[in-house]
Structures are given as C-alpha cells and as structure tokens.
Amino acid sequence: HSEIFEAEESFQLFTQQLLQPELLDFAVPESLEPVLRDYQKHGYSWLKLLANYGFGGVLADDMGLGKTIQSIAFIVSELEIIRANKQPVLIVCPSSLAYNWLYEMIKFAPEIEAIIVDGTTKERRELLAQLDAHDVVITTYPLLRRDSTFYEQQHFHTVFFDEAQAFKNPLTQTARTVKKIRATNRFGLTGTPIEN
C-alpha cells in the first residue's frame, strides 16, 4: 500500500512543479548565474526537473534566445556526474550550428571539455575513439547518420537534439538513428513552435 501511496505523492509533487516551475529550487551554476535571464533560469530548471524525474522533454523557444545557454547551464550543473561515469553529453545539431555550440561553451563555460566530431572518416574515427575523455561531443545530423553504428554502441549522460524539428518525419534515416541513441536524459530543442 505505502509504495502506491508514495508513487502517487511524488507524482502529485511532480505535476505541481511542472505547473509552477518558479517554485523549483535548482541552483544555477555560480559562473552562469549573472549570465542567465529569468526566463532562461526557468528553462534551466525545467531541464533539471525533467532529468530529476527521468523524463525527456522539449525546450521550445521561438525567439531563438538562449536555448544553447540554458542547455550549457544544465551541462555545467551535471559535470561531476558526467566525469564520474565517463558518459559524455552528445549534442546533435544542423551543420550550420556546430561551431556556434562550441563557441558558446568556450565563452560561457570554458571548464567544459568539448569537441566537434567532424572531418574525414579517418579523422572522425580518431576523435570517436577517445570519446570518454570529453565532457561534451558535438556532431551534426548528417554525420550522426554516417557514424551511427559507433554512436549506437555508446551510452550518453544526456543527448540534446538541436532544431529537433529536423527529424519530424519518423520514416527518415535521421529519425531512425536518433531513436537508437542511448542516453539517460533526452532533450529536444526547437526554435519552431511545436505542432501536434
């Protein structure tokens, strides 16, 4: 009886927190506290809440303002666990955004060890061979498809699918690859308001 009761109680707490994210008390990493605007702190708390309960989710921001920085704050807050488990964060994004992610990390969270996996097949293989030496691995949708057999064998702390509307059609190869990626936390980021 008590187990059922506890489950129900924790679910009620979860729904209350979902409805009132401002009540959440997930401390923003100190280094990023002055950088994040209030609404970005809400976004960060939302990611922490979902991860805390083992749910995935989507961070939609049609202004294009700061999904990256909210995600970086989440990564910084989880760095100890990422390093202890040697399970990096995977960021998959359109080719045009890969370096943007890297630059934002260098700017706002230089403590994060991040790499972009690109280049020739040989160069990518070399980078992928030393994956767990990094906190964050950034790749693009086309390269995720090409290197899918490798990525599917890994377990990541978190995977962020940036511009997640890129694989809306479930029949595409990208969508199939995305489904096979294993991660403790899965988040989609989109700048487009979500239909359906």
Side-chain angles (χ1 to χ4, degrees):
H1 288 302
S2 63
E3 273 177 35
I4 293 170
F5 180 69
E6 277 168 31
E8 196 169 291
E9 210 169 57
S10 70
F11 186 72
Q12 280 176 341
L13 183 65
F14 172 67
T15 47
Q16 185 191 346
Q17 289 173 330
L18 277 184
L19 296 170
Q20 296 174 286
E22 63 280 359
L23 299 178
L24 293 175
D25 196 20
F26 292 111
V28 174
E30 246 170 78
S31 54
L32 290 165
E33 172 68 43
V35 181
L36 292 188
R37 304 197 178 113
D38 279 347
Y39 78 90
Q40 292 171 332
K41 287 176 184 164
H42 284 318
Y44 161 80
S45 289
W46 165 248
L47 293 174
K48 291 291 282 184
L49 172 71
L50 291 172
N52 203 34
Y53 280 95
F55 289 110
V58 174
L59 193 58
D61 181 349
D62 44 6
M63 311 260 283
L65 291 171
K67 290 187 302 288
T68 312
I69 187 77
Q70 292 167 53
S71 306
I72 290 171
F74 175 81
I75 294 166
V76 171
S77 76
E78 298 279 326
L79 264 184
E80 269 181 51
I81 301 166
I82 290 164
R83 290 174 179 170
N85 295 341
K86 289 200 179 313
Q87 289 182 346
V89 169
L90 175 64
I91 292 167
V92 189
C93 59
S95 307
S96 58
L97 295 178
Y99 282 89
N100 183 51
W101 272 95
L102 188 64
Y103 294 142
E104 292 224 4
M105 281 188 207
I106 291 166
K107 182 176 171 186
F108 293 114
E111 67 271 35
I112 293 175
E113 290 284 331
I115 55 159
I116 293 181
V117 177
D118 65 1
T120 63
T121 306
K122 182 175 178 290
E123 287 166 337
R124 295 198 312 277
R125 292 257 156 85
E126 284 166 12
L127 291 170
L128 290 168
Q130 40 175 329
L131 214 61
D132 59 4
H134 302 281
D135 302 320
V136 174
V137 178
I138 303 165
T139 193
T140 64
Y141 287 108
L143 292 178
L144 180 76
R145 285 199 308 269
R146 269 183 232 152
D147 301 329
S148 61
T149 46
F150 182 86
Y151 285 108
E152 287 163 18
Q153 290 161 21
Q154 309 303 313
H155 193 287
F156 296 96
H157 174 283
T158 299
V159 58
F160 285 100
F161 297 109
D162 195 7
E163 299 302 333
Q165 72 280 3
F167 54 89
K168 249 193 330 207
N169 179 348
L171 302 175
T172 61
Q173 199 191 341
T174 302
R176 285 201 295 267
T177 305
V178 156
K179 281 199 189 88
K180 290 181 185 159
I181 301 296
R182 290 178 306 149
T184 307
N185 306 296
R186 299 166 71 88
F187 296 121
L189 307 174
T190 175
T192 321
I194 299 191
E195 307 107 48
N196 57 31

